[in-house]
Amino acid sequence: MATFFVDRAEHMAASGGFLRSVAEGQGGVLVIQGEQGIGKSALLREIVRSGGQASGDEPECRFVQARCLDRIGTENAYGPIVDILTLLQPPRRSFLRRLGRSTVNAAPELVSLVPTLGPLLKTAAQVVQSAIDSPSAQPDSMAPLMQSVARAVAGALEDAAADGGPTVIVLDDVQWLDPSSLLVLEHFVERLYDTELSIGVILGCRSGPGNEVGAVPEALARWELAGWCTRSRLAGLPHDAVETLVQQHHSGPVAASLSARVSELTKGHPVFVTQCLRMVGANGDLQGPLPDTVGPLIRRRLSGLDEETLDLLIIGATQGETFDSVVVAKVSGHPVDRVAGRLHQLSRRQGLVQSVPPPAWAQDESADYYCFENALLHMAVLDERSAGQARDGHGRIAAALAGEGAEHAELSIPVRLEIARHYRLAHRWDDAARTQFALARELAVSGMSFSEAEALSKQAVESTRKLSAAAEDRDLRLARAIELLLSLTEARWQGRPGAAETTDLEAHAQEAEDAARRSGDAEMIVRALLMHGRVLLKTKGLQPCLEKLQDAVRLAQEGSDPALLFAARSAYGGQLTKRDLATGLREQLEAEEQYEHGLAQHDAKDRVRHVLNISSELQLGVNLFDAGYLDRAKDRLSRCVERLRHDPVNNNLPVALNYLSQLHIAMGSEDEASDALREAREFDERLGGASGWHAYNTALLALVLSHGPHAPGQRHRSRSLIEEAWRETEHTWLLDLVPIVRNLYAEVVMNISGNDPDDLAFGIRLTAETVRETSRTGMVRSEVAALSLQSRLRLKQRNAAEAGRLARAAVEILDEVGDLPALRTEEVLHHAAVALRAAGCEDEADGLARRAREEVTRKANLIDSLTDRERFLRDVPLNRAILGSDAQA
Ligand SMILES: Nc1ncnc2c1ncn2[C@@H]1O[C@H](COP(=O)(O)OP(=O)(O)OP(=O)(O)O)[C@@H](O)[C@H]1O
Ligand SMILES: [Mg+2]
């Protein structure tokens, strides 16, 4: 260990400037990068040391230091953030008691440190639990949830740091940063850039082979590009710095050529230099010939150890870069005090390891904690074991950490992550799989650590696959682990044909189904089929999906679980509406009735919440609307909106408001539609960032404004809104929403164009693009809408023949597939009638106009409330046009 710090003048000057600007309220981020052993940690320590001695005109900053963990760091959700928050403010234990157990288990410290997270996580835990437990969930709420949590934690970090003068947070080894902490840091770093704060962040990050790709290097590159951080790289020490080190290391006279030889050999690489210095003997010169890499030097240091000490060191290395005397004693079979004594002597005499304070999650207060002098030394000790010895060692360490028959759930997350890691390295697949699965579930259900949960569920799948066919419940466990993995990634599936992700998804879904069938567990089979159906919908389309879902319904019908049957039927019914609206809707309504009826006799109360989730309620509401049950749809959708307004996890609110506003438009209440759309837009704007649904809602608002008689100002506003909506759609590119918003764009332009030829031509280009795109994506609904719009635009261009041709094409598709969701059949028919009449096809036009009238009357008759029915017939301009005329205008 070199005790003196040398050189790095340039970096010290830069950090001095950085600290001054922090003190002046111009916070920011400084990143120190460099390869293993180049001196990042030493530099960070020196920055803190010299900053702490500031005097006179030097700035005074408070320093808070933390580091990420080797090996388990990337799975240790929020680990370093918790450490930093704890140093900034003491935890408030009382908050723990008010929260649900699962949340507390997975994130006790964080919740106590960030009080605002409490209510958010409590509901989040329910949402996520239902998303991963319910066989029909659409866990679209997870990603925004992560963002909300990250924002809340970043806010707490800012408050805690801002409260106590200029503060510098020093975080080392961020190459092992967990994704959750990264998300928090990202928000935090952006704030530092946008706002004048006396807060600085200094990060140490290992670069070089093995550390060039991944989320952290990508984030750092992004931050640098955005101007959020400054990065600097460390190189080897210059010759005079090595010379100083040599002189300071050895008190007596040294050989004249020593520092030149060390400097040349090591290229000034600090860790190599320090190992060389260890080899300087009493005569002031290196003992023995010099190897030209650092490895043999380190091994030479190990060869001086006696057998027992080397054994202890190997056990320690097997535990990790940081290890403790109690675990080493347990594994070695020696008495604890003897081991403690040996390790203490080792650290005093040979160096090699150094005593460190116990980590926050230390299990045994009486244990001494050590860490290796450097990472290379740690690796060299690990290399002393054979593969079999390594496995055996990891197995014993896992057992020592887990304790005799102790409940894992009582242990802290980092310890359990360590246990899982050691089981995996011991090839104890059964124990590994159990620990990984339990951790994955718990992290997910805590509502805030999805990325880590995903990584662990992936490990659980791999471990379970390795179990022998005879292992207890192997297949059931495999199916469960895959189901968990898939449900955690579902919000991200894209299903692009041929993509590796797509093949993986299908293979996973098939594997889960096969495993479930082998297990014979009826519930698991149904769940696996439902999951498989959802995968196929993304990768292969509706038909294969419906087949799977139908299988699931059939199987669920044989069983006696009403909740499961409901899940299967409503999932099937929901998808079926895409092809056959009426039958799909009937299936969903019957499923609900059957479920409520069955529930009376079945004790499944605790699952009600899981199954009757807001997503299926929304789905049913919008399907009722599509099928023309307008007032029943209004009841449901209003109920959803009301519920979401009071729900802390309410990211579906803009979707619910979108459906409700469409319904208001369909019922002639455009003012109410505008109100709903404004609320939806404001909701998303508060969250910030581009959103596909915000764009859709903006487009609908533009449409409402484009209706009826308009003042020039309103026309202008409508146009700027629709342009804004389209820009945001191009940016977010949600596949389902793109053609819808593009069609709305064309419609708004048409409504406000006043027959301007450029506008009409532009509208035609937009709709033509949609027709081209839908022939590829198979989104029939948007194709019909685009054809119908294009026909209207052509008519405005006085090209009746082309208008007629397009109108016919639209109706032809409609006749083939029947009513379509979110498309008013009567609208297509009416405009087709107008176009064909203009083209001189009177009979055809008469027929279509009659069908449009029938459709409006049919929908009116489905409305129970008299006032609503009257309003539907009187206040909707389209309906008035259809009923009031024979489609002349
Ligand atoms: N400027 C310096 N002056 C004196 N000693 C130094 C200097 N830089 C590094 N060292 C010594 O070199 C060794 C390796 O340095 P350090 O642990 O800081 O490297 P690191 O870049 O943090 O490595 P890792 O990537 O493994 O975290 C340590 O023993 C350290 O004390
Ligand atoms: Mg380091």
Side-chain angles (χ1 to χ4, degrees), residues 566-866:
F566 170 76
R569 289 191 76 180
S570 59
Y572 173 64
Q575 294 305 336
L576 190 57
T577 55
K578 292 182 182 161
R579 158 128 37 89
D580 180 345
L581 189 53
T583 319
L585 184 63
R586 195 170 342 107
E587 180 73 19
Q588 287 180 76
L589 289 169
E590 276 175 28
E592 196 177 71
E593 216 167 277
Q594 183 183 26
Y595 177 59
E596 273 157 12
H597 179 74
L599 203 62
Q601 301 139 24
H602 196 283
D603 183 27
K605 280 207 193 77
D606 58 333
R607 301 185 58 178
V608 178
R609 181 175 49 104
H610 293 182
V611 179
L612 282 180
N613 56 35
I614 198 98
S615 302
S616 45
E617 180 93 23
L618 268 178
Q619 166 83 31
L620 194 49
V622 80
N623 286 152
L624 281 166
F625 167 42
D626 295 334
Y629 297 93
L630 298 186
D631 53 355
R632 287 171 73 185
K634 191 166 119 190
D635 277 356
R636 292 237 178 207
L637 292 174
S638 307
R639 208 158 59 213
C640 285
V641 165
E642 205 42 42
R643 220 174 106 187
L644 286 167
R645 278 194 187 123
H646 297 107
D647 209 338
V649 181
N650 54 359
N651 54 293
N652 269 332
L653 184 59
V655 180
L657 285 165
N658 175 289
Y659 294 158
L660 190 61
S661 73
Q662 291 192 50
L663 188 101
H664 284 315
I665 296 173
M667 290 183 83
S669 325
E670 299 222 327
D671 287 346
E672 287 170 45
S674 311
D675 289 346
L677 291 168
R678 287 205 179 90
E679 182 182 348
R681 275 165 46 85
E682 279 161 19
F683 179 91
D684 274 329
E685 282 155 19
R686 268 197 305 280
L687 285 183
S691 134
W693 284 90
H694 179 265
Y696 188 1
N697 287 324
T698 306
L700 273 178
L701 190 60
L703 180 72
V704 172
L705 290 178
S706 77
H707 282 158
H710 23 240
Q714 193 170 338
R715 184 175 301 173
H716 181 73
R717 168 116 179 94
S718 173
R719 177 148 215 149
S720 69
L721 276 175
I722 195 69
E723 283 168 0
E724 176 196 327
W726 181 241
R727 271 195 305 277
E728 194 173 7
T729 301
E730 281 188 306
H731 184 60
T732 46
W733 210 257
L734 286 188
L735 227 46
D736 297 349
L737 301 187
V738 171
I740 297 179
V741 176
R742 202 194 285 108
N743 279 338
L744 285 169
Y745 195 179
E747 188 169 354
V748 169
V749 167
M750 178 179 70
N751 288 347
I752 61 178
S753 72
N755 291 354
D756 176 276
D758 288 343
D759 278 349
L760 295 180
F762 179 60
I764 287 174
R765 277 203 302 281
L766 287 172
T767 48
E769 174 60 27
T770 300
V771 171
R772 244 196 318 278
E773 181 185 274
T774 49
S775 69
R776 203 174 56 238
T777 59
M779 293 192 196
V780 186
R781 192 196 76 81
S782 294
E783 185 178 4
V784 175
L787 287 169
S788 171
L789 272 169
Q790 206 176 343
S791 150
R792 293 166 66 188
L793 286 155
R794 287 288 183 204
L795 196 58
K796 284 192 175 242
Q797 283 182 333
R798 305 192 179 284
N799 186 345
E802 182 61 8
R805 187 191 69 77
L806 289 160
R808 253 190 220 117
V811 173
E812 222 165 78
I813 301 179
L814 206 54
D815 285 345
E816 196 181 308
V817 297
D819 288 347
L820 285 162
L823 184 78
R824 285 189 281 182
T825 302
E826 62 271 26
E827 187 170 11
V828 179
L829 294 172
H830 168 71
H831 291 298
V834 175
L836 286 163
R837 198 174 306 283
C841 311
E842 289 288 336
D843 289 350
E844 221 178 328
D846 283 344
L848 291 169
R850 190 176 345 101
R851 282 176 60 191
R853 274 197 300 278
E854 283 164 11
E855 187 63 16
V856 173
T857 319
R858 184 184 73 83
K859 284 192 180 165
N861 289 336
L862 289 175
I863 300 177
D864 292 330
S865 143
L866 266 182

Side-chain angles (χ1 to χ4, degrees), residues 40-42 172-173 206:
K40 303 174 292 293
S41 303
D172 199 2
D173 290 327
R206 190 187 282 178

Side-chain angles (χ1 to χ4, degrees), residues 465-517:
R465 277 188 191 137
K466 295 203 168 81
L467 297 181
S468 79
E472 189 196 347
D473 287 343
R474 175 198 187 262
D475 291 319
L476 187 58
R477 285 163 63 193
L478 182 58
R480 277 212 187 109
I482 298 175
E483 185 191 39
L484 178 61
L485 174 62
L486 290 179
S487 60
L488 284 170
T489 56
E490 182 160 2
R492 285 202 318 260
W493 299 348
Q494 294 191 319
R496 284 204 203 94
E501 181 229 42
T502 302
T503 338
D504 259 19
L505 267 179
E506 287 175 349
H508 269 126
Q510 185 66 52
E511 187 182 1
E513 186 188 327
D514 294 344
R517 286 189 192 279

